[in-house]
């Protein structure tokens, strides 16, 4: 093994033990994400989150107590040549044996005006499930982290008028027997960035044409196209300046839903209203 790769792996276990490794293990254990004899496809976009996830999964397989299959799946949705080469270069440096397949998603969503990022994400997931199944996998692992979860909660409240969260794991509704897991559920983005910087790594940002177009634009148009998720990042940053506990409390709020003090809720697709039981107290 290359000395650079050994040093990088040690940094996860030792230097970032408290901020990355332990939260990673906590997510696996608390939500029982891995079972013996699972066959898991780690889905790599080329960004810092999925690359870190790949290394963490390699480490838990080497040093953990369970035996399971592990594959590293990269979908090229239409990257330019430089971006694809960067993914391949990083995979080589980090000794991640990636399996690459092509799709045409960027071309398909290029002319979509409403929610192109949402459509792109849905299509990506479908392709990933299908190719993971071809590899004999029963699970896909995505690199969503703590910040993604908190941002999703706020977005659902402020723009969706509902309380939803990004679940740590879920069963696929379109691919029977397949499951999605998010092992970095408790890992904060700032700690992933710190790990990246300490090891001198350069990863892809979002490399789609929609994002590249925004970066070329200036002024009002660029502001109008700014993603809702970026707005949430900025909002949470302001919250963080007020109290370091606000982010954690936002996540805990969806663990402590008090149905006795809710106007309504949805359970298994059925909507309920507090007036249904109002005149029949327990």
């Amino acid at each position: 093994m290359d000395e650079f790769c050994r040093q990088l792996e040690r940094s996860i276990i030792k230097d970032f033990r408290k901020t990355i490794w332990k939260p990673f293990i906590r997510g696996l254990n608390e939500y029982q994400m891995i079972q013996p004899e699972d066959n898991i496809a780690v889905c790599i976009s080329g960004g810092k989150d999925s690359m870190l996830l790949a290394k963490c999964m390699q480490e838990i397989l080497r040093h953990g107590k369970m035996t399971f299959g592990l594959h590293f799946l990269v979908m090229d949705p239409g990257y330019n040549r430089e971006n694809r080469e960067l993914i391949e270069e990083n995979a080589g440096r980090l000794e991640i044996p990636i399996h690459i397949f092509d799709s045409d998603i960027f071309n398909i969503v290029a002319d979509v005006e409403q929610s192109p990022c949402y459509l792109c994400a849905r299509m990506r997931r479908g392709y990933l499930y299908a190719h993971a199944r071809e590899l004999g996998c029963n699970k896909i692992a995505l690199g969503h982290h703590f910040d993604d979860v908190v941002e999703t909660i706020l977005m659902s409240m402020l723009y969706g008028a509902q309380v939803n969260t990004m679940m740590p794991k879920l069963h696929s509704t379109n691919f029977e027997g397949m499951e999605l897991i998010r092992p970095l559920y408790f890992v904060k983005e700032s700690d992933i960035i710190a790990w990246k910087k300490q090891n001198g790594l350069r990863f892809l940002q979002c490399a789609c044409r929609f994002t590249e177009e925004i970066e070329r634009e200036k002024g009002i148009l660029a502001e109008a196209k700014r993603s809702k998720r970026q707005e949430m990042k900025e909002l949470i940053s302001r919250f963080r300046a007020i109290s370091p506990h606000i982010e954690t409390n936002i996540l805990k709020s969806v663990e402590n839903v008090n149905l006795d003090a809710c106007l309504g809720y949805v359970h298994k697709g059925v909507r309920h209203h507090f007036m249904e039981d109002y005149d029949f107290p327990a």
Side-chain angles (χ1 to χ4, degrees), residues 86-132:
L86 179 59
I87 294 174
E88 293 171 337
E89 176 187 339
N90 281 329
R93 293 186 70 199
L94 274 61
E95 299 188 6
I96 301 171
I98 58 175
H99 169 81
I100 303 180
F101 70 94
D102 297 316
S103 72
D104 199 30
I105 290 178
F106 282 176
N107 284 333
I108 295 172
V109 303
D111 298 323
V112 176
E113 294 185 0
Q114 295 294 324
S115 304
C117 295
Y118 174 78
L119 177 60
C120 181
R122 288 291 300 270
M123 292 183 67
R124 281 173 182 249
R125 190 167 302 174
Y127 276 102
L128 290 167
Y129 270 126
H131 281 266

Side-chain angles (χ1 to χ4, degrees), residues 10-51:
R10 283 196 298 268
S11 74
I12 296 173
I13 303 294
K14 294 183 178 180
D15 300 344
F16 292 90
R17 186 174 190 83
K18 182 177 179 181
T19 55
I20 290 178
W21 185 248
K22 284 189 174 181
F24 165 70
I25 297 298
R26 176 191 169 191
L28 294 183
N29 292 337
E30 188 162 322
Y31 300 116
Q32 301 176 25
M33 293 188 188
I34 301 177
Q35 303 298 327
E37 309 307 324
D38 273 344
N39 206 4
I40 302 172
V42 177
C43 301
I44 297 176
S45 66
K48 65 185 187 313
D49 310 324
S50 59
M51 285 292 194

Side-chain angles (χ1 to χ4, degrees), residues 125-273:
R125 190 167 302 174
Y127 276 102
L128 290 167
Y129 270 126
H131 281 266
R133 173 176 281 177
E134 289 178 4
L135 293 174
C137 296
N138 65 314
K139 292 181 179 179
I140 64 171
L142 302 184
H144 295 119
H145 48 64
F146 175 88
D147 297 62
D148 292 321
V149 179
V150 174
E151 290 158 16
T152 298
I153 296 170
L154 286 181
M155 273 196 300
S156 73
M157 294 175 65
L158 300 180
Y159 287 103
Q162 56 186 331
V163 179
N164 276 343
T165 189
M166 181 179 283
M167 298 298 286
K169 67 178 184 178
L170 52 88
H171 294 288
S172 172
T173 55
N174 297 319
F175 294 85
E176 186 177 355
M178 297 291 291
E179 192 174 355
L180 180 153
I181 61 174
R182 296 184 169 104
L184 299 183
Y185 203 76
F186 293 120
V187 179
K188 294 186 176 181
E189 185 176 29
S190 59
D191 296 315
I192 300 176
I193 293 172
W195 169 79
K196 180 191 74 170
K197 289 182 176 179
Q198 177 172 302
N199 289 284
L201 298 167
R202 182 175 71 91
F203 297 118
L204 284 187
Q205 302 294 327
C206 179
C208 72
R209 296 169 193 171
F210 178 74
T211 302
E212 291 173 348
E213 179 185 350
I214 289 177
E215 290 176 349
R216 287 193 298 267
E217 294 169 344
K218 302 295 180 182
I220 296 176
L221 184 57
E223 181 67 19
K225 285 190 174 180
R226 185 181 59 173
S227 74
K228 294 294 187 291
R229 190 164 291 277
Q230 182 59 35
E231 291 180 12
M232 295 304 102
K233 286 182 182 293
E234 295 170 6
L235 180 60
I236 292 169
S237 178
R238 293 197 291 270
F239 285 156
R240 195 180 296 123
I242 299 171
S243 168
H245 305 297
I246 289 181
E247 292 168 281
T248 301
N249 287 342
I250 291 172
L251 177 57
K252 286 183 176 179
S253 71
V254 293
E255 293 182 344
N256 298 301
V257 178
N258 183 357
L259 295 183
D260 293 331
C262 283
L263 297 178
Y265 63 94
V266 176
H267 180 60
K268 294 185 177 180
V270 179
R271 183 172 297 277
H272 300 272
H273 193 276

